[in-house]
Amino acid sequence: MKKIIITIVGLGHIGGSLASSLKKTYGDKISLIGIDQKPSTIKIAQQSNFFLEVSTLKKSNNIIDSRIVFVATGIHDMAKIFSDLAKISFTNRIIVSDVGSIKVDIFKQALKILPKDYDFVGGHPIAGTEKIGFKNLVTDLFKDKPIFISGIRAKKDSVKLIKEIWNGLGGQVYLVSPEQHDKIFAHLSHLPHVLAFGLKNISNKSLTRQEISKYGGTSYKDYSRISMSSEQLWSEIFLSNRRNLAKGIKNFRRYLDKVERLLKSNSKEELKKLLKS
């Protein structure tokens, strides 16, 4: 890979992990620009020595020379970021990508807002923890993780470059449509998060904090861990994929109704069949 400048907009847990992973993997083959709005985050990122420059988007001196811009902000901030990027006269044919957990809405925004001479390659690394912020970055976060490329308006060499970068970070890259992506992750990610938040809510209403802390075993801790994730982030994800998620909730409600009915009727064999199915 020829030396290029890569900008990361949004230096939270994922953006920070991406910066750290890129520098570890590619070293001097890339120069990184970090963009964020929080002065505290900018200060911490500057101290990391990952970046050629860390600044706000409007004050950046070097973003104009970028080959790739990864947008790692909240979903509801992306339209504003796309609008700001659209005003920049990049010296290279720019590739804009993202790391968002939903793809249909983001792709629609990209098509609507970004100029046609900008390449857009939507992305979603299936990685991360319940922790937030640059200080909680994880180097090698994307190693052996599925990476989805979904929502493309770009030249083939631009798609190839984004795929090459994620493969270089150890990811397993898959190409799917935005519609299929959102359907998949309504079930594999978004619905499990709804259930985890619900479990925390019900447990907190039914038990004391001392009981939860003292008696909560491995199964509870494993399941409830993701309920420690950002409410701001996940409310945005839920709403952005609300149609698929609502279908998943409806189907799960039916399942719970069946479990409740079999419990009331003390039907062990029928319950076993349901659990096995």
Side-chain angles (χ1 to χ4, degrees), residues 11-12 16 19 33-36 38-55 134-135 137:
L11 300 178
I33 297 171
I35 301 295
D36 206 273
K38 294 182 180 179
S40 58
T41 299
I42 290 174
K43 183 177 180 179
I44 295 173
Q46 287 172 335
Q47 295 170 351
S48 71
N49 294 320
F50 297 152
F51 301 97
L52 170 69
E53 175 194 38
V54 185
S55 179
F134 187 87
K135 64 181 180 180
L137 68 84

Side-chain angles (χ1 to χ4, degrees), residues 5-254:
I5 294 177
I6 299 175
T7 292
I8 301 173
V9 181
L11 300 178
H13 173 57
I14 297 296
S17 298
L18 179 57
S20 177
S21 300
L22 285 169
K23 288 307 291 184
K24 179 181 178 181
T25 302
Y26 296 107
D28 292 337
K29 292 182 180 179
I30 63 169
S31 292
L32 290 180
I33 297 171
I35 301 295
D36 206 273
Q37 289 298 315
K38 294 182 180 179
S40 58
T41 299
I42 290 174
K43 183 177 180 179
I44 295 173
Q46 287 172 335
Q47 295 170 351
S48 71
N49 294 320
F50 297 152
F51 301 97
L52 170 69
E53 175 194 38
V54 185
S55 179
T56 61
L57 189 57
K58 292 183 179 180
K59 292 183 178 180
S60 174
N61 296 315
N62 297 289
I63 191 173
I64 191 173
D65 295 319
S66 299
R67 178 71 176 96
I68 302 169
V69 175
F70 284 106
V71 182
T73 64
I75 293 168
H76 287 182
D77 294 325
M78 287 194 183
K80 174 65 166 58
I81 298 300
F82 290 163
S83 295
D84 289 340
L85 292 175
K87 299 172 185 176
I88 299 174
S89 298
F90 290 97
T91 56
N92 303 295
R93 184 177 179 92
I94 192 67
I95 306 170
V96 178
S97 189
D98 75 295
V99 297
S101 296
I102 57 99
K103 293 271 73 79
V104 170
D105 283 358
I106 291 175
F107 189 44
K108 287 180 179 178
Q109 291 172 357
L111 293 179
K112 181 180 179 180
I113 299 170
L114 294 175
K116 292 184 178 180
D117 59 348
Y118 284 35
D119 284 344
F120 182 80
V121 183
H124 178 202
I126 313 305
T129 72
E130 73 279 7
K131 297 181 180 179
I132 61 174
F134 187 87
K135 64 181 180 180
N136 288 310
L137 68 84
V138 178
T139 305
D140 293 328
L141 179 66
F142 312 102
K143 187 175 182 180
D144 299 323
K145 299 296 195 306
I147 310 292
F148 280 80
I149 290 179
S150 181
I152 298 170
R153 188 192 68 188
K155 293 182 177 295
K156 289 184 179 180
D157 61 342
S158 295
V159 180
K160 182 180 178 181
L161 179 56
I162 296 297
K163 184 177 180 180
E164 177 186 339
I165 287 173
W166 284 118
N167 281 333
L169 300 184
Q172 303 296 317
V173 177
Y174 303 94
L175 276 69
V176 300
S177 71
E179 292 77 15
Q180 183 67 6
H181 171 280
D182 287 2
K183 179 182 178 182
I184 290 169
F185 287 98
H187 291 84
L188 299 187
S189 177
H190 307 165
L191 180 59
H193 275 79
V194 168
L195 302 180
F197 282 116
L199 175 62
K200 180 178 71 172
N201 184 285
I202 293 169
S203 297
N204 287 341
K205 287 183 177 180
S206 303
L207 303 171
T208 65
R209 288 185 180 181
Q210 184 179 7
E211 286 174 321
I212 294 172
S213 177
K214 187 175 181 179
Y215 305 129
T218 302
S219 60
Y220 176 81
K221 290 178 180 177
D222 286 348
Y223 196 72
S224 63
R225 176 187 61 81
I226 58 175
S227 70
M228 302 302 293
S229 303
S230 166
E231 295 88 352
Q232 174 69 27
L233 169 66
W234 281 99
S235 62
E236 292 179 4
I237 292 171
F238 293 162
L239 289 171
S240 296
N241 199 20
R242 57 188 177 275
R243 291 182 180 84
N244 286 311
L245 182 54
K247 289 180 181 178
I249 291 172
K250 184 177 181 180
N251 290 334
F252 198 81
R253 185 182 295 115
R254 290 173 179 168

